[in-house]
Amino acid sequence: YKTFTVDGNGDITETQTAYLPEKRLVQFGELMLDQPEDMKIYDNLMYIADTGNSRIVVSDVDAESVHVIGEGILKKPVGLDVVNGSIYVADETLGQVLEFNLAGELVYTFERPTHPSFGKSAPFTPSKVTADDRGNVYVISRGNSNGMIQLNKNTNNEFLGYFSPNMTSVSFITSFRKLIFTEEQLSRMLNIIPNSPVNLTMDDEGLIYTITPQDNNNALKKLNMAGRNIISTRVQDRMVRGVTVGPYENVFTVSSNGLIYEFNREGKLLFVFGGKDTGQQRLGLFTQVSAIEVDDQNTLYVLDQSKGEVQMFKSTEFADKVHEALILYQDGNYLESKDIWEEVLKVNSLFDFANLGMGEAHFREENYAEALESYKLSRNIPGYSDAFWELRNVQIRENIIPFLGILLALIAGIKSFKWFNKKYPIKVYNDFKDYIKDKALYKQLRYSIYFMKHPVDGSYGIKREKQTSNLSVLIIATLALLIAVFSKYFTGFIFSTVRPGEFTVASDLIITVIGFMFIATATYLVCTINDGESNYRQLIHGFVYSLTPYVLIKPIVVFMSNYFTLNEAFLLSFTDLIIFAWVVTLIFVAIRELNNYENKETIKIILLSIFTIFIGLLIIFVLFLLVNQLVDFIKAIFREAVYRIEHK
């Protein structure tokens, strides 16, 4: 198998091997496993829920010294945990959680809670269990979506309540149905209930980790004592089944198809490896995984339910270096982790965590230029912003005097030139300026500024006075198009939405032009059937001249984005908001004045235009599907004809 990690863009990318399969445990002493469901490592011993044989198998890590717990008592043990010398077993058939001591003696049985707050119809079918140092037991009950069941044996199996229930997610379609459906129709809809976790574990600090495959980005949760999730992962796997916590506060999850994920304590993906065994019986691949565990040496134990075996994985030198540096980094020892990160980067210069660690180390050493580069490689925007802030302050202190001197000299030069030209007119310069001002195109382009300030009179000039031309419209539209592309690819790194090295200029130009013409045409068609007085040419001119604020101000925003940090982000956002509001206002006034509408009529026209655009896009989508089906049909006929000719 290959090993992958996630880069700063959120893409899965291949990296060096992090874990190697060491051996496979098939036979435990004289015993064989049958459909094992769960496993725990405690005091260098493996505790395996041998579900098919209705027992708990206890073995050393070499599968040589073996004994059995719960034989004759258990029916279908599907979950277990070992905490402070107590073995907790969730038995699905018995509908109980049983507590054994390490000698295998049954010491307590947790029955279905009888407290009214548990719910009369709430099922108690334990599937997974864990416990803390205070005697609190947390149970996942199959079919119970209210949350984890919290019990306490010190208070005679007292039901303490449901812990951290998952939230329901309601789709837009469901919300829409609730608005329009009758009570009878709603009663026939399926009830919306939250997804239930399928597994859980607890770390040394008492934090509970749960797995809920259907919750996509929140499939893995790290719950504090208040039941609040404190991490967020970006990996989606609907088949994830097992979870465990390692010695570096690293979290491992495994899917039933054998993919193993390792996260740091903040939920960032470090590595993913393993996979499905398609029948070759290859070491490191699996058929149907049900559990994963890790010991104090960060050795992984993966339980294959279908094969009834355990596979062990050892971390490589590369992974050990990552873990060593990561534990220092997570504790804030950035300088101490620097040398180790450098060793990691010698092996993989694009490993994001290493670049992030180097960025933090350089920042602490006040090497802001190097920190900037490392943060950029790791796509860490906050770190990049902080480093750029410091670097900019240094540059301002060093260059403020020369900059002010140049600025004053430039202002003085312009003032002097104007004074000299006024007192001693420069014929060539003045003749050229007068020549330009007399040109119709210059006046038409300059009219865009007047239109921007006085849209009512400006619309009259477009409609009655022919203050614009097709050429001036083409120039302004071309500038707006180029600025749109320019802003996409030349906005500063901190505010850019484009991945480094990604250029789709041709498609950007085509989509922008077609989109603009589609919107303008839809608006014109709606105006035509609603007694609008403008023709297509006038409406296009009004739309294009309405883009003047964007053409004049947006380049300044793009320029400043390369010198602003996150601390000044609100200035850019506010300026973009002003541009948007200004352009929308100009378009509104242009539609109203060019068509001689009132405000209410104009609002109606705009809403109808939006609806027309939506219908147009829907028609294009349907035509696209039909054309695709037609092409596939023609290809199928052609392949059939070729096949018959070849076999005739």
Side-chain angles (χ1 to χ4, degrees):
Y1 55 82
K2 295 180 179 180
T3 300
F4 300 90
T5 188
V6 171
D7 62 19
N9 294 320
D11 294 329
I12 300 292
T13 181
E14 189 176 349
T15 187
Q16 279 68 24
T17 300
Y19 291 85
L20 290 171
E22 187 180 46
K23 60 181 176 180
R24 174 188 283 126
L25 304 176
V26 179
Q27 188 168 337
F28 298 81
E30 300 298 325
L31 304 179
M32 302 287 287
L33 303 178
D34 181 17
Q35 295 295 309
E37 289 271 1
D38 206 354
M39 174 180 61
K40 294 296 174 183
I41 302 294
Y42 180 79
D43 199 18
N44 294 320
L45 292 176
M46 288 186 292
Y47 293 78
I48 303 173
D50 190 6
T51 308
N53 291 316
S54 302
R55 64 192 179 187
I56 304 299
V57 174
V58 184
S59 166
D60 61 9
V61 294
D62 296 319
E64 295 175 354
S65 177
V66 179
H67 67 277
V68 172
I69 290 176
E71 203 162 26
I73 301 175
L74 299 172
K75 297 296 183 182
K76 190 179 179 182
V78 291
L80 69 94
D81 199 1
V82 187
V83 180
N84 294 332
S86 293
I87 306 167
Y88 297 89
V89 182
D91 194 301
E92 191 174 65
T93 299
L94 292 175
Q96 298 172 337
V97 173
L98 300 94
E99 180 186 350
F100 298 87
N101 60 24
L102 295 181
E105 299 169 340
L106 180 63
V107 296
Y108 196 83
T109 301
F110 294 87
E111 303 283 354
R112 184 186 187 280
T114 58
H115 197 279
S117 62
F118 181 77
K120 290 183 179 180
S121 61
F124 186 71
T125 311
S127 60
K128 299 297 174 186
V129 62
T130 190
D132 60 23
D133 296 336
R134 299 168 296 167
N136 294 323
V137 177
Y138 300 84
V139 183
I140 294 177
S141 174
R142 199 181 306 278
N144 193 327
S145 60
N146 297 317
M148 287 171 281
I149 301 166
Q150 191 175 359
L151 307 171
N152 191 295
K153 75 170 185 179
N154 298 327
T155 53
N156 193 25
N157 194 33
E158 181 186 2
F159 174 59
L160 303 180
Y162 288 106
F163 183 77
S164 187
N166 288 326
M167 302 297 291
T168 56
S169 57
V170 182
S171 66
F172 173 77
I173 294 176
T174 303
S175 301
F176 181 71
R177 286 172 178 168
K178 286 186 174 183
L179 290 176
I180 63 173
F181 278 16
T182 64
E183 291 292 335
E184 183 180 353
Q185 290 173 321
L186 288 174
S187 66
R188 290 198 293 265
M189 288 178 59
L190 293 175
N191 291 328
I192 301 170
I193 59 175
N195 298 313
S196 299
V198 299
N199 213 329
L200 78 168
T201 191
M202 184 177 292
D203 64 15
D204 295 335
E205 297 179 357
L207 300 177
I208 296 177
Y209 300 75
T210 64
I211 291 292
T212 310
Q214 300 87 350
D215 280 0
N216 295 330
N217 287 340
N218 286 322
L220 171 64
K221 293 184 177 69
K222 181 179 181 180
L223 306 172
N224 59 19
M225 296 303 295
R228 187 168 301 171
N229 183 29
I230 56 176
I231 63 171
S232 177
T233 60
R234 293 186 295 179
V235 177
Q236 299 182 11
D237 190 336
R238 289 296 183 99
M239 303 178 73
V240 65
R241 288 295 178 268
V243 59
T244 188
V245 182
Y248 307 111
E249 298 182 71
N250 46 338
V251 184
F252 294 92
T253 65
V254 65
S255 63
S256 57
N257 62 6
L259 285 176
I260 301 170
Y261 302 86
E262 181 182 4
F263 303 87
N264 71 353
R265 70 183 182 189
E266 297 171 349
K268 307 299 182 184
L269 183 66
L270 290 175
F271 304 109
V272 54
F273 58 97
K276 189 79 171 178
D277 187 354
T278 56
Q280 292 88 351
Q281 300 296 319
R282 290 166 60 189
L283 194 62
L285 300 180
F286 307 90
T287 302
Q288 183 77 20
V289 175
S290 58
I292 185 171
E293 267 297 294
V294 60
D295 63 19
D296 294 338
Q297 285 72 47
N298 205 49
T299 300
L300 294 178
Y301 302 79
V302 184
L303 182 64
D304 194 317
Q305 179 184 16
S306 180
K307 294 180 179 179
E309 66 180 27
V310 175
Q311 290 196 43
M312 297 171 58
F313 292 78
K314 287 285 188 182
S315 56
T316 62
E317 183 180 356
F318 174 74
D320 289 338
K321 289 293 183 185
V322 171
H323 293 140
E324 184 182 356
L326 192 62
I327 199 68
L328 291 170
Y329 171 83
Q330 290 178 154
D331 290 337
N333 299 316
Y334 304 120
L335 295 178
E336 291 82 351
S337 68
K338 180 183 176 183
D339 293 338
I340 308 173
W341 285 131
E342 286 179 340
E343 294 182 38
V344 172
L345 289 174
K346 288 178 183 178
V347 181
N348 185 347
S349 61
L350 296 178
F351 193 74
D352 279 331
F353 278 101
N355 284 309
L356 178 58
M358 289 298 294
E360 297 287 1
H362 287 314
F363 188 85
R364 296 305 185 280
E365 293 175 337
E366 298 185 3
N367 295 327
Y368 300 123
E370 295 181 17
L372 209 64
E373 186 62 27
S374 294
Y375 283 133
K376 189 172 185 178
L377 288 172
S378 63
R379 282 81 161 177
N380 185 270
I381 302 300
Y384 185 94
S385 176
D386 292 340
F388 187 73
W389 171 279
E390 298 293 343
L391 190 63
R392 189 182 63 182
N393 289 342
V394 172
Q395 293 175 343
I396 289 175
R397 287 197 301 268
E398 293 177 351
N399 300 302
I400 186 65
I401 301 302
F403 174 77
L404 291 177
I406 294 172
L407 183 62
L408 291 174
L410 185 62
I411 294 173
I414 294 173
K415 293 285 187 181
S416 299
F417 178 80
K418 289 182 177 180
W419 174 84
F420 184 84
N421 185 52
K422 186 176 181 180
K423 191 169 185 179
Y424 307 101
I426 303 173
K427 188 175 185 307
V428 175
Y429 169 75
N430 292 324
D431 289 346
F432 178 76
K433 186 169 67 172
D434 294 338
Y435 172 79
I436 294 296
K437 287 183 177 180
D438 289 338
K439 288 293 182 180
L441 181 60
Y442 174 82
K443 294 178 180 178
Q444 292 161 359
L445 292 174
R446 189 175 178 84
Y447 189 74
S448 64
I449 299 176
Y450 178 82
F451 179 86
M452 182 176 72
K453 297 177 180 178
H454 310 283
V456 175
D457 294 339
S459 297
Y460 183 83
I462 291 175
K463 186 176 181 180
R464 304 295 183 189
E465 299 175 347
K466 296 183 179 181
Q467 295 284 0
T468 61
S469 67
N470 291 336
L471 181 58
S472 67
V473 167
L474 180 62
I475 292 173
I476 295 173
T478 302
L479 285 174
L481 183 63
L482 294 177
I483 290 169
V485 176
F486 175 81
S487 66
K488 179 177 179 179
Y489 296 106
F490 292 94
T491 295
F493 175 76
I494 295 174
F495 306 100
S496 178
T497 58
V498 181
R499 297 180 180 183
E502 182 182 85
F503 292 97
T504 55
V505 177
S507 61
D508 292 338
L509 293 174
I510 293 172
I511 291 172
T512 305
V513 171
I514 293 176
F516 179 82
M517 296 303 298
F518 191 68
I519 293 171
T521 302
T523 306
Y524 171 71
L525 292 175
V526 172
C527 291
T528 301
I529 61 177
N530 284 275
D531 301 323
E533 297 180 2
S534 69
N535 56 39
Y536 189 67
R537 176 182 178 277
Q538 293 168 349
L539 195 64
I540 289 290
H541 285 209
F543 269 53
V544 171
Y545 269 65
S546 297
L547 299 176
T548 304
Y550 179 83
V551 172
L552 295 180
I553 304 175
K554 189 62 177 179
I556 300 173
V557 174
V558 175
F559 176 79
M560 296 309 297
S561 71
N562 287 274
Y563 295 94
F564 278 12
T565 67
L566 291 177
N567 295 325
E568 298 94 19
F570 75 96
L571 292 175
L572 297 182
S573 301
F574 184 67
T575 306
D576 280 333
L577 180 62
I578 290 175
I579 294 173
F580 176 78
W582 203 338
V583 169
V584 169
T585 302
L586 292 177
I587 291 175
F588 179 88
V589 174
I591 294 173
R592 186 188 66 187
E593 296 300 321
L594 292 174
N595 292 282
N596 196 24
Y597 289 142
E598 297 294 332
N599 287 332
K600 289 184 178 180
E601 291 179 293
T602 307
I603 294 172
K604 183 186 77 171
I605 292 298
I606 292 174
L607 293 177
L608 287 173
S609 299
I610 294 173
F611 179 74
T612 304
I613 292 167
F614 173 76
I615 296 299
L617 292 174
L618 185 62
I619 293 172
I620 292 171
F621 177 71
V622 172
L623 290 175
F624 174 77
L625 293 180
L626 292 175
V627 170
N628 270 350
Q629 290 180 356
L630 179 61
V631 170
D632 291 339
F633 178 70
I634 294 172
K635 286 181 179 179
I637 293 176
F638 179 77
R639 285 195 296 266
E640 180 68 19
V642 171
Y643 176 81
R644 290 181 178 273
I645 292 172
E646 290 178 348
H647 293 79
K648 187 174 181 181

